[in-house]
Amino acid sequence: MVLVLGVSAGAGGARAVLNHTDQPHLPPLDRVHIPRRAGASVAESVLAAIRRMRVAAIARDECVTATVVTCRNEVHGDAIRAAAGPSVTIVDEPLAQLRYLRFTGLLPATESVMLYDLGSSGLTVTHADCRTDTILASQRSTVLSGDGYDALLRWQLARGGVAADRRTTRDHREMLSRARVVTATDADTGERAVVTRSDLAALCEAGLHHSASFVRRMIDDTGVRPGALVLLGGCLRNPALRHAVGRLVDLPVVYDPEPEYVSARGAVLLAARKPARMRMPRLRAGATPDSREPSGPGRRKFLAAVAVTATLGGAVAGLLGTDDRADEKNPPTPAQFIDGSLPAK
């Protein structure tokens, strides 16, 4: 049996999955999550995850024969390639996600899907053609993120008299993925505050509405209605958030029980089978899916073009640039925490 390693790299850190090539569908032999250290590069957490998993392999008297790392953009990929060297293969993250969803049978029999990836630092939405593994469009927003939701939750706890640091607040948010109610306690004063899933959904409501318009705009731009919305990223472990996103976007929802490990598991599959293509072609700016050549190698060559990107609308710019301070009736937006505009007491 051959041992391979799949790693997903993101702004929040790296996740790694170690498994045998003939058992990609089984629980991994080992896994690790290395958060990104403040001020550190993306490559640092990736290399730490790779080292940890290689040590785990040696402890099993085995050796990692192939390592694949998924990246969201070329900047991250170049940094990791420079740090890790030629022994590590870099692949597009959506390609790994589609590969894993297809392997597990979660990928619907539709022409395209929308990959809705909500992580700690922001939301990435990718419209992907399932027939050709082509990116029709991809955009990213930092208006909503796990870090932003943690800040909103910390603000609400403070209103209830409970002070909590970032790590504790994130623990509370993650607990709400498993429990409907969480009681937070101030370590210094003993004050308590109760937080529910509904409370978190209410705090996230503005950002979720923004993301729905984000998706609708992308569908309008490509002119192709996707057959499903694939929910990815650890933030969407929370059932209330998944329900809210599905309701606002109005598409059939696809969800893996461990959405934060889909990319790393897909990387394991790519490492095991070593396909010839590790990059996803992107639809040429101004082209439409129907304008592709019907068959032959020229079709793929035609599709391998520049990525379609678009800036956020005026509403998003207003959120990011706001200087308003929130009062007790108006909680701050995630953007206020991103740019440092904390609510006045």
Side-chain angles (χ1 to χ4, degrees):
M1 292 186 293
V2 178
L3 199 61
V4 292
L5 175 62
V7 185
S8 63
R15 297 180 187 273
V17 171
L18 189 68
N19 221 341
H20 288 121
T21 54
D22 63 342
Q23 299 174 339
H25 59 295
L26 298 180
L29 300 176
D30 208 339
R31 68 172 74 185
V32 68
H33 174 214
I34 305 294
R36 185 178 179 182
R37 185 173 55 84
S41 69
V42 173
E44 180 182 287
S45 55
V46 170
L47 293 180
I50 291 174
R51 285 194 295 268
R52 183 84 63 86
M53 291 295 92
R54 286 178 176 171
V55 169
I58 293 172
R60 301 175 60 87
D61 291 328
E62 296 187 77
C63 178
V64 176
T65 60
T67 301
V68 168
V69 180
T70 71
C71 291
R72 183 181 301 118
N73 57 59
E74 291 186 12
V75 174
H76 288 175
D78 291 343
I80 294 167
R81 188 179 291 106
S87 63
V88 172
T89 302
I90 308 298
V91 306
D92 287 340
E93 187 171 49
L95 180 62
Q97 293 169 342
L98 288 175
R99 186 61 54 92
Y100 178 72
L101 294 168
R102 187 176 289 119
F103 177 82
T104 57
L106 289 173
L107 192 67
T110 60
E111 291 189 356
S112 69
V113 294
M114 195 71 75
L115 303 174
Y116 182 104
D117 193 345
L118 181 56
S120 61
S121 63
L123 169 69
T124 302
V125 180
T126 304
H127 194 173
D129 187 313
C130 301
R131 301 165 301 172
T132 61
D133 285 348
T134 298
I135 295 178
L136 304 181
S138 183
Q139 296 181 20
R140 182 166 173 80
S141 171
T142 56
V143 171
L144 70 163
S145 65
D147 291 342
Y149 292 161
D150 291 344
L152 288 169
L153 182 56
R154 189 161 59 250
W155 173 83
Q156 176 150 319
L157 291 174
R159 288 183 61 199
V162 174
D165 58 23
R166 292 186 177 184
R167 179 67 260 178
T168 302
T169 307
R170 172 153 295 188
D171 289 343
H172 290 326
R173 175 172 62 81
E174 292 176 350
M175 288 173 63
L176 286 172
S177 298
R178 304 184 296 271
R180 293 181 179 274
V181 180
V182 170
T183 301
T185 304
D186 191 307
D188 296 326
T189 66
E191 289 286 337
R192 294 186 176 186
V194 174
V195 184
T196 68
R197 283 179 180 172
S198 298
D199 293 333
L200 181 60
L203 290 172
C204 301
E205 184 175 6
L208 294 177
H209 275 279
H210 158 68
S211 74
S213 64
F214 205 49
V215 172
R216 287 191 290 269
R217 176 185 295 181
M218 188 174 293
I219 294 173
D220 291 341
D221 288 344
T222 61
V224 177
R225 182 169 178 81
L229 181 74
V230 182
L231 301 182
L232 303 163
C235 294
L236 290 166
R237 275 182 173 267
N238 189 298
L241 298 186
R242 292 201 304 273
H243 175 75
V245 172
R247 175 176 51 82
L248 291 169
V249 175
D250 191 27
L251 285 172
V253 169
V254 172
Y255 173 73
D256 183 85
E258 292 187 319
E260 69 273 33
Y261 277 97
V262 167
S263 297
R265 285 179 175 273
V268 166
L269 290 170
L270 292 171
R273 301 182 182 183
K274 298 180 180 178
R277 192 179 73 188
M278 293 294 188
R279 299 293 306 276
M280 292 185 74
R282 299 168 186 257
L283 195 68
R284 185 178 57 190
T288 63
D290 292 337
S291 67
R292 292 173 294 193
E293 295 179 14
S295 61
R299 177 185 183 187
R300 291 185 180 273
K301 183 177 180 181
F302 178 79
L303 288 171
V306 180
V308 177
T309 56
T311 58
L312 298 179
V316 180
L319 281 173
L320 290 173
T322 184
D323 287 325
D324 294 337
R325 298 296 188 266
D327 56 30
E328 293 186 355
K329 294 183 180 180
N330 298 296
T333 67
Q336 285 179 285
F337 285 100
I338 292 171
D339 67 12
S341 303
L342 296 178
K345 293 186 178 179

